[in-house]
Structures are given as C-alpha cells and as structure tokens.
Amino acid sequence: MLRAPDGPFSVEPVTLRPLSPTQVLVKIAGTGLCHTDVRPREADIWADVGPAVLGHEGSGVIEAVGTSVTEVRPGDHVVISFASCGTCRTCRLGTPAYCLRFESLNLTGRDAEGVSHTHAVADGLPLADRWFGQSSFAEYSVVDQKNLVVVDPSLPLSLLGPLGCSMQTGAGSVFHEMDLVPGQSLAVFGAGAVGLAGVMAAKAHGAADIVVVDRDESRLEVALELGATRVIRGGDDVAAQVRGATSGVDYSLETTAVPALITASVEVLTRPGVAVLVGAGGLLTVAPRALAGRKVTFAFEGSAVPRVFVPQLIALWQRGLFPFERLVRTYPLAEINAAEADAAAGKTIKPVLVPS
C-alpha cells in the first residue's frame, strides 16, 4: 500500500469485507507496474485517492465467488482489466472503455457506491482499494466479474497481467483507432510498454515505416528489435526529424504526455492523418488550421473490449507476432520500491510484481 505520496510502498495485512454478490476473490499470480500506478503521488490525485492499494494489471486464479456470479468460477485463470458499470449507454453499446463512470470507477480507488471494500488495515487506517476496480499490488484482489478475462490455464499466468492495460492500450490504439493498412506509416512517441506495444501491433499490421521517438538509447534498441524502422533520439524539431523527406506519417501514437511531443504528434502527420493520444496528463496546443485534413483523439484502454481483445493479443503472442514478454522483468512483491525505481530510471520497461 502507499500511505503517503512521498513515501515508499509497504506490504501490510488488510482485512476485507465479505464479497458482494457479483464479486470474486482472485489470488494474484503477477501484476504489472504501470506509470498510472505512481500518478497518485501527484498532490491533486493524492487528494482524491489518499492512502491506497494500487496496481491495475493483475492476473491470477479465482478462489471464491459471490452469490450472483455466473460468468466465472473458482479455479479459473484470469486477467484482470479495467472497471466499467455495464449499464450506461456506452457500456450497452459495447464500448466499456468509455463507460460514463470510467473515471469514478477506476481513478478513485473506490467502488460504484464511493467506498472501498477494505474493512481495516493494521492500525485502522481507511484505505482505497478499488484502483481500476482491482488494487492488485497484493496477494489477493476483490474484483467484479465484469472485469475478468478467463484464459487457458496452460499459459504462463504471472506474465499476462500487462495485457489488461498497457499492452491493451498501445496495441488497441493501433488496432481500433487507426485504419492502418500494410504499407502505411506510424510515429510512436515514447518507447515504454505502451509505445512498444503499438510498435508490435503496427508491425503485425504490416506498417512499412515505424518511427519511434525516445531519449533512452536502450529502449530505442528494443524498439528496433521489435519492428521499428527508424528511431529518433529527441533533440530539436522532432517533428521535422520524423517527417524526414516525406510529407509526414499516416498515424501517430503519443504516450509520453510531454506537451511538446503531444504537439509534435500532430505536426508529423501527412494529410489525411490521425494522431492518437494516450499519455495521462499534458496539454495539446495546436493552431486550428494545423488540423486541416488531420484528426486527433484520446483513447482510453486502446478502445478495447478486454474479453475480446486480450485473447486476440494472446493469439498474436502465441504466433510470435506480439513478443511482449521481452519487455518484462519480474520482481517479488516485497521489492515493489526497487521495481518503481528501476522503471523510473529506464532500467526496466515493464516490471511485473509476483507475490511470494
């Protein structure tokens, strides 16, 4: 749990309330650590979330189910994805990533009624433990059945958690927000897990030119290994470097939330062209005229339906077309602070925490 925004993560005992009718108890096998999991260290987010159990890329085995659960059963191996209400207009239209309650269900650490499901911690501290409906930096997670994707028990379960968010976001943005066809081009801003998932998806789609922008040499090397055709090491006028001698790229994927790069993600586009933004934070500053023939959108969770898309990513991985395991380094859950530090320093692209 995170007790203070400037403090370390700690592993402590927590007592849970009984399961509600549609909830399940998942014994966690592994959980990816994502940049979104450290955003509660920011003062404005901390004020809304407060002391919390974070983590939102979990995978594990169901141990118990609520009285009204019909979609999963004990013993199922599952990937846990984001929360959605299931009843609003957008959920009923089959777009749960744009649930009208997405922010309240995923970014507050509380459930639909505005409360957590923690009864107490060691000293009685109130605790938000519904981060993205799962709070999976833990040995166990309480999750609504809607959040779960059942997977084949023969798969390496501890590896699969990142498919529920970062891999889904990067790859889904390419598959669902871009009409990319073989021979087209894509610029990816940021060679973290989300950006590199976009690279792998674009390569699987047959993109002819995949340009990756980042300042970390080691991550750019990984990008080249995963399918990038060119890499840009930042510097002056990134947009001109990306365009080169061409009129621009067909698509861009911006993952960094750095304002200058958000703007550049639009400037690199040819006409017509589409920029997909996924980085949390930052501002887009662009002259309206610069949007002539170009479109900009912001995508939650790659606009994915997890129960459809996670199995598709697994199938691509099994065919060798989505080797996301190359981004993963595992850490014991007790070493979560080392994992956070290594991710911040660029030493690890995708930490996965494994409970003892």
Side-chain angles (χ1 to χ4, degrees):
M1 70 183 67
L2 190 65
R3 286 178 170 265
D6 57 351
F9 284 95
S10 59
V11 179
E12 304 180 38
V14 172
T15 302
L16 298 174
R17 295 191 183 103
L19 296 175
S20 72
T22 63
Q23 289 179 333
V24 305
L25 181 68
V26 179
K27 182 175 177 59
I28 297 296
T31 305
L33 189 153
C34 176
H35 177 69
T36 304
D37 291 315
V38 299
R39 290 205 71 208
R41 292 191 179 279
E42 300 170 19
D44 57 335
I45 299 177
W46 182 260
D48 292 332
V49 177
V53 178
L54 301 171
H56 69 286
E57 294 185 341
S59 59
V61 180
I62 295 176
E63 287 212 346
V65 300
T67 55
S68 298
V69 170
T70 59
E71 300 171 12
V72 293
R73 59 187 180 183
D76 281 347
H77 288 213
V78 293
V79 169
I80 313 173
S81 196
F82 60 87
S84 59
C85 74
T87 58
C88 72
R89 179 177 182 274
T90 50
C91 283
R92 294 198 307 270
L93 288 172
T95 53
Y98 302 105
C99 173
L100 296 179
R101 302 176 68 182
F102 183 93
E103 289 83 356
S104 63
L105 289 173
N106 290 282
L107 300 174
T108 65
R110 291 165 178 80
D111 65 12
E113 287 72 42
V115 298
S116 75
H117 284 272
T118 300
H119 179 65
V121 294
D123 55 4
L125 178 73
L127 191 67
D129 71 339
R130 313 302 309 136
W131 186 245
F132 279 77
Q134 59 181 281
S135 289
S136 50
F137 288 165
E139 293 183 337
Y140 290 89
S141 179
V142 175
V143 186
D144 191 277
Q145 63 179 341
K146 293 189 304 296
N147 299 36
L148 299 172
V149 182
V150 178
V151 298
D152 189 320
S154 68
L155 296 172
L157 187 58
S158 63
L159 175 68
L160 302 183
L163 295 178
C165 186
S166 56
M167 301 300 148
Q168 174 171 262
T169 298
S173 294
V174 173
F175 287 150
H176 304 135
E177 292 293 333
M178 305 177 189
D179 294 323
L180 192 151
V181 297
Q184 287 189 308
S185 54
L186 168 71
V188 176
F189 293 84
V194 175
L196 293 173
V199 170
M200 291 184 283
K203 181 182 179 183
H205 254 320
D209 191 19
I210 304 172
V211 190
V212 178
V213 179
D214 203 288
R215 292 187 178 275
D216 189 298
E217 293 282 350
S218 63
R219 293 192 175 199
L220 291 176
E221 291 175 5
V222 175
L224 288 168
E225 293 169 0
L226 293 177
T229 55
R230 292 189 287 140
V231 294
I232 306 294
R233 292 167 179 80
D236 297 331
D237 204 348
V238 167
Q241 293 184 66
V242 172
R243 289 193 302 267
T246 74
S247 63
V249 296
D250 298 296
Y251 299 96
S252 65
L253 175 64
E254 208 300 306
T255 74
T256 71
V258 174
L261 296 182
I262 296 175
T263 301
S265 73
V266 179
E267 294 174 341
V268 300
L269 296 174
T270 188
R271 294 190 293 198
V274 177
V276 181
L277 315 179
V278 299
L283 292 174
L284 169 62
T285 303
V286 61
R289 187 174 178 179
L291 296 177
R294 303 181 177 102
K295 296 180 181 180
V296 182
T297 189
F298 190 98
F300 278 168
E301 300 288 346
S303 300
V305 179
R307 288 186 177 178
V308 175
F309 194 52
V310 169
Q312 290 174 344
L313 290 178
I314 290 173
L316 285 174
W317 172 71
Q318 290 174 317
R319 293 168 56 196
L321 299 177
F322 195 75
F324 73 97
E325 79 284 354
R326 296 180 60 181
L327 311 182
V328 170
R329 177 183 174 188
T330 60
Y331 298 75
L333 178 61
E335 295 180 16
I336 183 173
N337 294 299
E340 181 187 9
D342 286 351
K347 295 180 180 179
T348 302
I349 296 175
K350 174 52 64 176
V352 169
L353 304 168
V354 178
S356 59

